[in-house]
Amino acid sequence: VCLHEAGDLDRTARICRKLMEDDAGRPQLKRLAALQSCRIAVEQSDLSAARAVLKETPDLAGAPLLERSAWTRVLLHIGRRCTLLDDPVLALRFYELAASGRGARTAWSRQAALEAMGLVPRVRPPIGEDLGPELLLARADAWFQLDAWRLARPGYRLAETEVGEERRPQILHAASVCSAMLDEPERAEEYALKLLETAPDYPMLTEVFGAWIESLMRTGREREARAVALDERDRWPAGDYRREPLDFLAASAAFQLGQYGIAGLEFAAYLSNYQSGSRRIEASYSRAVCYLHLRRWDHAMTVLDALLLDDAAGEWTDGALYYRAFCRTTGDAAGPAEAD
């Protein structure tokens, strides 16, 4: 441990390996060496080595030579490092180790999960069990990274009140996105408005509102989605990066409502205000389709031609080619469709 703290990871790893391979060694010491080996592996971004240690030491969930909270903190550290290295599945394995064999702590974790889902009355955690919420939050982050929204949200719901205020905006952000992705716009709205009240200058506020608005659109509530987008975007001037997703979604909602004249104008304004916007290709394509619905074939052709010359057109290319051919055969534009 001293060598690890001094930064000599390679030497520490060699000592841990000898302890793990010592047939006459104490089982508790072997587990502690395995735990330290996992920590070194993830700190060196060697996830395959960490997996190998877990496979070799299946009873890692129990290192009595470490004080309980210190042992849990090490496992939380390893899991969070795995999450940062984009392996939430491995992170969840370490979190489960942290939760297993914990006696009262395990009971608290289960109790907290049930409370978070509203299945049992809330109780305060036992004295000294302060890592219970931290563990649930870490697991929620891993599930979130896996797009497992329904598994992630209970942890965020609990952590909203059990973890420090400085982390509350990120928790509300994640809880709102989970609800939106589950197509539960009312819950998404609840968390989004709490976030607005808690941290009105939160840098990703519009992304949270965007997820809520898109959930409204997916559930057939386009009018409500457009009203929210129009109302919330006025917090920022046109062209402000924080307003960009709301401008796009306001136009998209108008499109879904069949208001093609309004949608076409708003997509044009989006393209003018955000020339490097994250959804400029989709906006160009949607603008062309608006012109098609309005039977303005020449305007549609102009937009489609520009779109096809854009290297970023990607998945929109086939649709653009189809509509371009449609314009040339059905509309007033000259030239045979076969030329495409």
Side-chain angles (χ1 to χ4, degrees), residues 152-165:
R153 188 173 60 182
Y156 292 127
R157 183 176 175 183
L158 170 76
E160 180 190 350
T161 56
E162 299 293 342
V163 180
E165 284 295 316

Side-chain angles (χ1 to χ4, degrees), residues 200-233:
D201 296 324
Y202 183 64
M204 300 183 70
L205 183 62
T206 51
E207 284 78 0
V208 175
F209 277 106
W212 165 29
I213 292 166
E214 289 190 280
S215 72
L216 286 169
M217 294 174 66
R218 286 194 301 271
T219 52
R221 298 162 64 177
E222 291 85 356
R223 291 189 186 281
E224 188 176 346
R226 179 164 168 79
V228 172
L230 291 174
D231 184 48
E232 298 300 336
R233 74 178 186 177

Side-chain angles (χ1 to χ4, degrees), residues 102-217:
R102 300 296 291 162
R105 185 181 303 282
T106 302
W108 157 240
S109 297
R110 292 170 181 164
Q111 172 77 11
L114 292 171
E115 291 172 3
M117 292 183 283
L119 300 179
V120 298
R122 288 186 59 82
V123 298
R124 297 300 302 171
I127 295 174
E129 297 298 312
D130 57 300
L131 289 181
E134 287 286 344
L135 177 57
L136 286 176
L137 179 57
R139 288 198 292 197
D141 287 337
W143 287 123
F144 187 95
Q145 193 171 357
L146 289 167
D147 296 345
W149 318 114
R150 196 169 298 281
L151 292 171
R153 188 173 60 182
Y156 292 127
R157 183 176 175 183
L158 170 76
E160 180 190 350
T161 56
E162 299 293 342
V163 180
E165 284 295 316
E166 71 280 358
R167 299 170 65 184
R168 192 165 184 246
Q170 292 81 7
I171 292 168
L172 292 171
H173 174 171
S176 183
V177 171
C178 286
S179 300
M181 298 306 294
L182 290 169
D183 287 339
E184 298 179 11
E186 290 82 4
R187 296 284 292 277
E189 176 185 10
E190 174 188 346
Y191 289 117
L193 294 180
K194 281 184 181 180
L195 175 59
L196 178 62
E197 179 182 354
T198 301
D201 296 324
Y202 183 64
M204 300 183 70
L205 183 62
T206 51
E207 284 78 0
V208 175
F209 277 106
W212 165 29
I213 292 166
E214 289 190 280
S215 72
L216 286 169
M217 294 174 66

Side-chain angles (χ1 to χ4, degrees), residues 275 280-281 284 303-314 317:
Q275 295 182 20
R280 62 183 179 82
I281 300 298
S284 293
V303 175
L304 291 169
D305 285 342
L307 176 60
L308 290 168
L309 291 173
D310 195 315
D311 293 336
T317 300

